[in-house]
Amino acid sequence: MGWFSKTDTIKKIVKNDIWIRCESCKAHVFKQDWKNNLNVCPQCNFHGTINAYERIGLIIDAGTFKEINQSITPSDPLDFVDAKGAYREKIIETREKLKLNESVVTGTGKICDIPVSLAVMDFRFFGGSLGSGTGEKILLAANYAYEHRIPFIIFSASGGARMQEGTLSLMQMAKTCAAIARLNDRKVPYISVLTHPTTGGVSASFAMVGDLNIAEPQALIGFAGRRVIEQTIKQKLPDNFQKAEFLLEHGFIDAIINRKDMKKALANILSYYIVK
Amino acid sequence: MMKHAALKTDIPMLDFEKPLAELQKAIDKLKSHALDKGEDFGEQLKNLQLQYEQNCQAIYAGLTPIQTVQIARHPHRPLFCDYVSLLCSDFVELHGDRCFGDDRGLVGGFATIGNLKVMLIGHNKGKNVTENIERNFGQAKPEGYRKALRLMHLAEKYDMPIITLIDTQGAYPGLDAEERGQAEAIARNLTEMAHIKTPIICTVTGEGGSGGALGIGVGDIICMLQYSVYSVISPEGCASILWRDASFAPKAAEALKLTAPSLLQMGVIDEIIPEPAGGAHHDYRKTIDAVRDAIIKHATKLSKLPVTKLIDKRFEKFSKIGKFQQ
């Protein structure tokens, strides 16, 4: 084996098995330390992505979560094929690999004994993109909150609308927002938690119209991609551009809350909502 | 068969229209020849014109998606200002979002269409470079969406239908737009438009570019002009992400199913408004007359519905959009 391929192998082991490189401060962190710290960088407090079920474990009282509409999954309405193959095939692969049917997990549960309807996006599933199935599940979870008059909470983590489902995915932005509008009509609370990353069509729909918009530290939140903006305005963007802290400064989110404190903070906020 | 006015020679030809350009040249030559010599080439002229008609029909019947995109973006396609002059007998433009400024890329105001008093809102592309710079190429900023929402609430107060005309590449991707909350402005419109208590009729007249289009695109009825397009991402953007090369745009345009017939079939839109052969830019009046007919028809129908029913139906309409397995 030549030197170069050897280094490659070592690199692979380092990358995959033992270390995690923080996206934000670039520090190398032991994978175990990263996990023990809830996927938060111990060096810079960057809050990395976390899968939907782990997130639910952190937020919902043990044993109270009941998943709904688990079987909803993408159907490839456009027969979409790109350079890397058919969407249909990728759906099957992704579902098998992740044991997950869509980019969002929805259900009901309790937060410190307060019943809620919950939708948690999972960035691993097609970059958490908003497809028809995602939109449907969020709509149904919002409708559950509407019917039972219980608070609705969404944890967003998404690159935006799902290109492979074309204009149908764009319309999920309108569909989910229509569900939020109905909650507003009935005075049902809706809290949006924006986690890293929440961009494109998801930031421009349900994620931005919470009664409260809450973010995790350093989460990337924005409409257009950084590169697109740099190409358009031909200027370099500030370092904190589109970070949660930038949005707080500009008035688009109410609070930045650490992952480990999120459950308590949500329970406290919900205590201001009194069911009449 | 639609009687087609010969293509005007001052209109820039798209690459796939070349055979038509050549025929047109031959027709013009024959005409001037006839004039010079004082001879009658009536029969030949008729033949050429027939050929032209047939070619035109054939080309426009078999347009590929990327060709439709080219027509939707045609520099001579009728713009918001053309609709104002040919669709409305009166237009009172209203300015400003009352928070930051007045976006020239997205405009609106009171308008009279036939006997209807409506709120007309639309993306405002320009006819030349100066206009386009002033109007940001019809790419709205947050203040544009917020102005649109203000006008919609005003329409709700005055019980008048809202008519939107969609024609944008997308919402403006810039530092200032992000600072002022582009995402929030669009999201707010989607949420509010879902339950505004007056009929909303949206028509895609040119480019329906993603969230920037949808920001004024939630309504009871969604129409598209025959050769307009409506997509989650531009074919070039999609190609550069999924094919890693923007030159695959024709393939992406095909894959995205962004033409009116595909979207009608998928239940995204309600009606296709026909365009004259050769596209809207060949006959503004005919195109805009058809748009007016559609608007009046739908507005009259929708205004008969009780408001609660209107809102329920709008919610149901959007609830049903999407295809998935269970």
Side-chain angles (χ1 to χ4, degrees), chain B residues 259-272:
Chain B
T259 61
S262 295
L263 294 170
L264 184 70
Q265 202 194 346
M266 286 193 276
V268 170
I269 62 163
D270 302 286
E271 187 178 321
I272 299 173

Side-chain angles (χ1 to χ4, degrees), chain B residues 208-225:
Chain B
S210 194
L214 191 63
I216 57 165
V218 179
D220 304 295
I221 294 284
I222 321 287
C223 302
M224 273 177 84
L225 276 181

Side-chain angles (χ1 to χ4, degrees), chain A residues 72-75 78 81-83 132 136 161 166-167 170-172 175 181-182 185 203-205 223-224 241-242 252, chain B residues 175 178-183 187 191 195 210 214 230 232 242-243 255 257 263 315 318-319 321-325:
Chain A
I72 291 178
T73 193
S75 76
L78 270 51
V81 181
D82 64 31
S132 294
E136 180 73 10
T167 317
L170 180 71
M171 290 298 145
Q172 303 310 306
K175 175 170 169 171
R182 273 208 331 161
D185 287 340
S203 75
S205 63
F223 177 68
F241 181 63
Q242 292 183 330
F252 291 101
Chain B
L175 173 61
E178 295 286 329
E179 280 175 332
R180 295 197 290 276
Q182 188 69 285
T191 311
H195 63 180
S210 194
L214 191 63
Y230 199 177
V232 65
L242 293 182
W243 278 263
K257 304 264 192 302
L263 294 170
F315 177 71
F318 281 92
S319 290
I321 300 181
K323 290 212 168 67
F324 49 86
Q325 311 174 51

Side-chain angles (χ1 to χ4, degrees), chain B residues 1 20 47 49-59:
Chain B
M1 198 171 93
L20 295 179
N47 270 339
Q49 265 158 350
L50 187 70
Q51 253 188 60
Y52 184 97
E53 295 273 338
Q54 284 168 343
N55 257 302
C56 188
Q57 293 289 340
I59 287 174

Side-chain angles (χ1 to χ4, degrees), chain A residues 52-217:
Chain A
Y53 290 105
E54 278 173 10
R55 168 90 64 187
I56 290 163
L58 295 176
I59 298 296
I60 299 293
D61 298 348
T64 66
F65 183 69
K66 286 195 190 80
E67 186 165 356
I68 56 171
N69 302 306
Q70 191 185 16
S71 62
I72 291 178
T73 193
S75 76
D76 188 21
L78 270 51
D79 287 320
F80 196 94
V81 181
D82 64 31
K84 283 190 218 139
Y87 176 45
R88 194 179 299 262
E89 306 285 317
K90 279 184 243 168
I91 296 167
I92 297 169
E93 263 171 49
T94 310
R95 285 178 61 185
E96 271 174 15
K97 194 176 133 204
L98 301 177
K99 306 283 171 231
L100 201 62
N101 288 331
E102 247 308 351
S103 61
V104 68
V105 174
T106 56
T108 59
K110 289 182 172 171
I111 299 178
C112 303
D113 284 330
I114 304 167
V116 298
S117 176
L118 185 75
V120 180
M121 301 191 81
D122 197 312
F123 192 72
R124 297 172 305 162
F125 197 96
F126 285 91
S129 58
L130 175 60
S132 294
T134 321
E136 180 73 10
K137 288 181 81 169
I138 290 174
L139 172 91
L140 294 173
N143 287 355
Y144 187 93
Y146 179 83
E147 278 149 29
H148 295 82
R149 293 175 193 265
I150 56 170
F152 183 42
I153 300 172
I154 303 181
F155 284 83
S156 301
S158 170
R162 190 175 300 162
M163 273 179 285
Q164 294 89 340
E165 295 190 20
T167 317
L168 284 175
S169 72
L170 180 71
M171 290 298 145
Q172 303 310 306
M173 294 166 63
K175 175 170 169 171
T176 49
C177 282
I180 303 303
R182 273 208 331 161
L183 296 182
N184 294 344
D185 287 340
R186 194 172 259 197
K187 298 187 178 177
V188 174
Y190 163 48
I191 294 168
S192 170
V193 184
L194 299 96
T195 75
H196 179 80
T198 298
T199 59
V202 167
S203 75
S205 63
F206 55 84
M208 266 295 166
V209 289
D211 302 339
L212 277 81
N213 296 335
I214 293 169
E216 287 188 329

